[in-house]
Amino acid sequence: MVTKQQSVPDIFQENCLSRQVLQLIADQWTPLVIAALNDGTMRFGQLLKRIGGISRKMLTQTLRAMERNGLVRRVVYPVVPPVVEYTLTPLGQTLVEPMKALRDWAYGHLQEVAQARTAYDQRDHTPLQDAVASLVQQREKSL
Amino acid sequence: MVTKQQSVPDIFQENCLSRQVLQLIADQWTPLVIAALNDGTMRFGQLLKRIGGISRKMLTQTLRAMERNGLVRRVVYPVVPPVVEYTLTPLGQTLVEPMKALRDWAYGHLQEVAQARTAYDQRDHTPLQDAVASLVQQREKSL
DNA sequence: CCGTATCCATTACGATACTG
DNA sequence: CAGTATCGTAATGGATACGG
């Protein structure tokens, strides 16, 4: 029996399938659509209003991609004017938790990130200064 | 005592800070750099080799952004030729788990996504067919 | 070795107008 | 209402050459 102890395949390899899948969900809008649809089925227009700053085009594109990848189900009611509903599939629901973890991380570390950014922007970043800073840091560690 | 029961702020609002932070980490390369650096400190060239398909430019860009946001520490050794090491900061380490969850999701649902895609591509997607499909689905549910 | 600078091609995206 | 089509612009990203 061959036990391939490889819980993670080589995500560092180009053309790795899992990397491709990862890239399907690690974009600007997918996390927000997941969050929105986690509250229940929504129509196109509702999503458009709910997710501030998204354009018709991007919402359509994102939803289409998600549908294609099996994350959402799209139901078209043949009435006029048309009604189209979007719902998370069971597969899509498995993404809710990981995505929530990411959003929570973002929310939980707002200040730290903001501070880091301010600090970074105040420092010099000439090659020389970078090196000196590293030296100082080195010295401090050895004390 | 005012208890603001708002574990998640309004991520749906444009210009929401947590959304901005989210977008810093939900890109193509950041998850991979996190994963790579989780194995320990690495030099620029090592990262470049490890992360297949990334270009010098993108790696530099990603690392700079991560440094600015406090996720990685960059240490420059003032030797020639230069040696530059990158390490996850404590803040960056808090991202390891959520990111791993995402990667695991991707790996764990490879087949499902692939199947969904194949199925989607085989279906018709003329507006009429979409509506008919929805009708059929509706009827099946009521049986 | 670790970048930056430049050029260039491709894509992404928003705005708008149009259709079933 | 829920898109699609078209356009123009902006951002992205690779390749290459050069610099400290």
Side-chain angles (χ1 to χ4, degrees):
Chain A
M1 179 176 167
V2 184
T3 54
K4 279 216 299 187
Q5 163 58 13
Q6 189 175 5
S7 69
V8 174
D10 203 353
I11 200 161
F12 297 115
Q13 200 141 17
E14 204 175 352
N15 303 331
C16 164
L17 279 181
S18 72
R19 194 200 282 191
Q20 290 177 28
V21 171
L22 182 60
Q23 288 172 182
L24 295 176
I25 58 181
D27 71 285
Q28 292 254 315
W29 301 113
T30 302
L32 297 182
V33 173
I34 301 257
L37 288 182
N38 190 36
D39 294 342
T41 297
M42 292 185 90
R43 296 179 53 177
F44 184 86
Q46 289 181 291
L47 285 167
L48 200 58
K49 274 184 298 187
R50 188 83 209 279
I51 304 174
I54 197 171
S55 65
R56 276 172 133 52
K57 187 177 177 179
M58 288 315 294
L59 181 55
T60 302
Q61 223 172 70
T62 305
L63 286 170
R64 281 287 186 283
M66 291 176 73
E67 187 194 2
R68 191 167 107 96
N69 296 316
L71 302 181
V72 304
R73 190 162 45 96
R74 176 170 175 268
V75 178
V76 180
Y77 294 91
V79 296
V80 19
V83 170
V84 181
E85 285 181 351
Y86 293 90
T87 314
L88 281 185
T89 62
L91 178 60
Q93 286 170 18
T94 64
L95 250 179
V96 169
E97 273 309 312
M99 282 302 185
K100 178 165 163 27
L102 262 203
R103 280 183 279 115
D104 287 349
W105 185 92
Y107 181 56
H109 296 89
L110 284 183
Q111 273 82 27
E112 286 171 84
V113 171
Q115 279 173 230
R117 220 174 312 178
T118 308
Y120 180 93
D121 293 345
Q122 282 172 353
R123 284 195 295 265
D124 243 1
H125 291 288
T126 55
L128 183 61
Q129 276 307 317
D130 281 350
V132 169
S134 295
L135 274 179
V136 170
Q137 205 172 46
Q138 205 72 0
R139 213 184 104 71
E140 282 169 354
K141 248 202 300 194
S142 69
L143 291 184
Chain B
M1 182 180 169
V2 184
T3 54
K4 278 214 299 185
Q5 163 59 13
Q6 190 178 4
S7 68
V8 175
D10 205 354
I11 199 163
F12 297 115
Q13 199 139 20
E14 203 175 353
N15 302 331
C16 163
L17 279 181
S18 72
R19 193 198 282 191
Q20 290 177 27
V21 171
L22 183 61
Q23 289 171 181
L24 295 176
I25 59 182
D27 71 288
Q28 293 253 309
W29 301 113
T30 302
L32 298 181
V33 172
I34 300 258
L37 288 182
N38 191 35
D39 294 342
T41 296
M42 292 185 90
R43 296 180 53 179
F44 185 87
Q46 288 181 290
L47 285 168
L48 199 58
K49 275 184 296 185
R50 187 84 208 278
I51 304 174
I54 198 171
S55 64
R56 278 175 130 56
K57 188 176 176 178
M58 288 315 294
L59 181 56
T60 303
Q61 225 171 69
T62 304
L63 286 169
R64 281 288 185 281
M66 291 176 71
E67 186 193 4
R68 191 167 107 96
N69 297 315
L71 302 180
V72 304
R73 191 161 44 96
R74 177 171 175 268
V75 178
V76 180
Y77 295 89
V79 296
V80 18
V83 170
V84 181
E85 284 181 350
Y86 292 90
T87 313
L88 282 184
T89 62
L91 178 60
Q93 286 170 17
T94 64
L95 250 179
V96 168
E97 273 309 311
M99 282 301 185
K100 178 165 162 26
L102 261 204
R103 281 182 276 113
D104 286 350
W105 185 93
Y107 181 57
H109 299 276
L110 285 182
Q111 273 82 27
E112 287 170 86
V113 171
Q115 280 174 228
R117 221 175 310 182
T118 308
Y120 180 93
D121 292 345
Q122 282 173 354
R123 283 197 295 266
D124 245 2
H125 292 288
T126 55
L128 183 61
Q129 276 306 318
D130 280 351
V132 169
S134 294
L135 274 178
V136 169
Q137 205 172 47
Q138 205 73 356
R139 213 183 103 72
E140 282 169 355
K141 248 201 299 189
S142 68
L143 291 183

